[in-house]
Amino acid sequence: MDLNITGKVAIIGGSSKGLGKACAVALAKEGVNIVLCARRKETLQRTKSEIELLGVEVLALSVDMASAEDNQRIIDETIRKFGRIDILVNNSGGPKPGTFREVTSDDLDDAYRSVLKYNIRMIQGCLPFMERNGWGRIVNITSITVKEPAPNMVLSNIFRSAVVSFAKTISKELVSKGITINNVSPGYFKTDRVMQLMKVRSEAEGISTNEYEQRAILDFPHKRYMDPEELGNLVCYLCSEQARSINGTTIQVDGGMLNGLL
């Protein structure tokens, strides 16, 4: 299927590895030029070289997604190089795990800046360029905690759910201008973030990380951690011309793990 997005330009947060990188690769395979955003320069350059082999142009920016100055630099550098912004994939590292009794005021502020405020700033900054062309796609990578809150993830529960609420609030206005906004909620993918959480939880229970992992997948309907490519392919489709009527939705990729109907 030709997704009709060849030549478009996509900004992707946290895209040097993991789920963000999977989104970048999937879009690049469809001929989309990529703006990679992440902190570590070495990992960024390695990912840039890999994606350039797919025949697209790649701009790699070493940035802190929680920084207002860096958010603006991403937009400025993208326009300087490509002259347009068509696709925005918001993706940032997850907040600190913990219960509501464990998180501090500073933890709350950090989570707000790195998840919700970053998301809103990037959307506000990119929208004028999408509106100018009468076409745009915004996809927010959230978490299954927006549909089923996790007891040890209070900050993620709060701020990722706020991202979903913001997206739904603005979705009707945007679609009238040819722009869609959707959320994708990952389940358990074997990323650095998941490995970090497994380490925290295994240490709390006094068992090895490997033992915790093997025990965890017993509860998964598909009995495995998922490949980031599976999420990347869905994001890529949501950015396509064919997905122009999918708007304001939150789609989970969890292998059927959640029990809710919606």
Side-chain angles (χ1 to χ4, degrees), residues 34-180:
I34 303 296
V35 180
L36 297 172
C37 306
R39 292 188 183 188
R40 297 182 179 177
K41 292 182 179 180
E42 182 179 338
T43 310
L44 265 172
Q45 290 305 313
R46 184 163 57 246
T47 301
K48 178 178 185 288
S49 298
E50 291 176 24
I51 294 178
E52 284 175 334
L53 294 175
L54 298 172
V56 298
E57 291 189 70
V58 181
L59 173 63
L61 300 173
S62 176
V63 291
D64 176 2
M65 305 308 293
S67 162
E69 292 77 12
D70 280 1
N71 293 162
Q72 188 59 51
R73 184 163 73 87
I74 292 166
I75 294 166
D76 292 344
E77 293 288 341
T78 301
I79 294 302
R80 187 173 294 115
K81 180 172 178 62
F82 295 110
R84 61 189 297 155
I85 298 171
D86 305 290
I87 295 167
L88 171 64
V89 179
N90 282 318
N91 176 52
S92 63
K96 178 182 177 181
T99 67
F100 82 98
R101 296 186 185 278
E102 294 169 338
V103 299
T104 67
S105 179
D106 287 342
D107 293 334
L108 281 165
D109 289 343
D110 289 343
Y112 168 60
R113 285 192 298 268
S114 65
V115 178
L116 179 58
K117 196 168 186 180
Y118 142 70
N119 184 288
I120 294 172
R121 272 199 305 256
M122 287 302 297
I123 290 172
Q124 288 176 329
C126 291
L127 273 179
F129 301 100
M130 295 179 178
E131 291 170 343
R132 185 173 68 190
N133 293 329
W135 194 99
R137 298 288 183 267
I138 301 169
V139 181
N140 305 312
I141 309 298
T142 61
S143 166
I144 55 172
T145 61
V146 305
K147 293 197 172 187
E148 189 174 292
N152 196 48
M153 301 289 290
V154 65
L155 295 176
S156 182
N157 298 342
I158 293 168
F159 292 108
R160 293 200 190 282
S161 295
V163 167
V164 170
S165 181
F166 174 62
K168 186 65 175 178
T169 301
I170 66 175
S171 61
K172 288 184 180 179
E173 176 187 347
L174 298 190
V175 77
S176 67
K177 300 176 182 180
I179 302 164
T180 65

Side-chain angles (χ1 to χ4, degrees), residues 26 184-185 229-239 251-253:
V184 173
S185 302
E229 181 182 1
E230 298 175 73
L231 183 132
N233 289 336
L234 171 61
V235 170
C236 187
Y237 179 74
L238 290 174
C239 294
I251 305 172
Q252 69 225 44
V253 185

